[in-house]
Amino acid sequence: MKKISIQEVAPRDGLQNEKEYLPTESKAELINRLSAAGFDKIEVTSFVSPKAVPNLRDAEEVFRLIDRNPNIIYSALVPNERGAERALSVKVNEINLVVSASETHNRKNIKQSVEDSFNRFKEIMAMTKMEKVQINGSIGTVFGCPFEGEIQEERVLQLIEKYLDLGVNGVTLADTTGMAVPNQVFRLCERLFTYFPQLELTLHFHNTRGLGLANVAEGLRAGVTKFDASLGGIGGCPFAPGATGNICTEDLVHMLKFMGYEVRPNLDKLIETSKFLEAHLGYELPGQIMKAGIISELYPI
């Protein structure tokens, strides 16, 4: 039975895009519930400017409130040196760097060129050299950009090479606006493993056009074993037109479990936690399993 790692991103990628601010204590309770459900990694928050993402202005407080499980990596997105300082002050387990494959999206999202982003990453790597922290490098708009359209595979290969030259522990490829299609995912991932056979690769899909889990299936076929997902299917990039939620964690876990894969998260606890999140956000979440139930549930005639 092949083990698949599930990395929960709702507390960061999900909540950053919400219209209403979720109180700090509720965020901490959500993360504690996710920890109890069992994950390989939880992306807790982002150490960005509160003006840019006001929903995550309480990053330090959230990290100080949560109960950490030593078997879970607690990660945070960091855009610059100031963010790295803040993240290190609360002893994050992992810093997640992010750059877009699209120059246009990077300037819109990060307010700088791709080259400038990597220059900042060099400074962050220098800052963390003596720290006990992992570094992950994420690449957004890998499978398409709403401003530039198609992204060439060579561009993705070049950016992965730049990250590996920096010394990152792993790389995440993100379908930021849900433009990926299954055969594209398989083709790119198969090619990546040919060039970088030891690459610690994570796929991060959005379900913007309903293809999220189909794309996961093709990632699995290519040999990928790590996937990001967001509880209830919440999330989306606030700097891209039409971007909607990430693939739903409980739907992903349900699919993998009944396909015969080994996954850590407890499905019943995920469904309970998704209902908890739905109650706190005050609207119906897009996840399907919390509504329909798992396929092994039978009903009387």
Side-chain angles (χ1 to χ4, degrees), residues 233-255:
I234 66 170
C237 176
F239 306 105
T244 55
N246 298 48
I247 57 171
C248 174
T249 306
E250 59 270 27
D251 292 0
L252 173 63
V253 169
H254 178 270
M255 182 184 84

Side-chain angles (χ1 to χ4, degrees), residues 120-153:
R120 283 196 148 170
F121 296 162
K122 290 176 184 177
E123 296 300 322
I124 293 172
M125 295 299 290
M127 291 172 60
T128 60
K129 190 174 183 180
M130 304 304 293
E131 303 285 344
K132 292 183 178 179
V133 61
Q134 296 182 35
I135 307 292
N136 185 72
S138 290
I139 307 173
T141 64
V142 165
F143 300 95
C145 170
F147 308 109
E148 296 183 9
E150 182 182 357
I151 300 297
Q152 297 298 316
E153 291 183 356

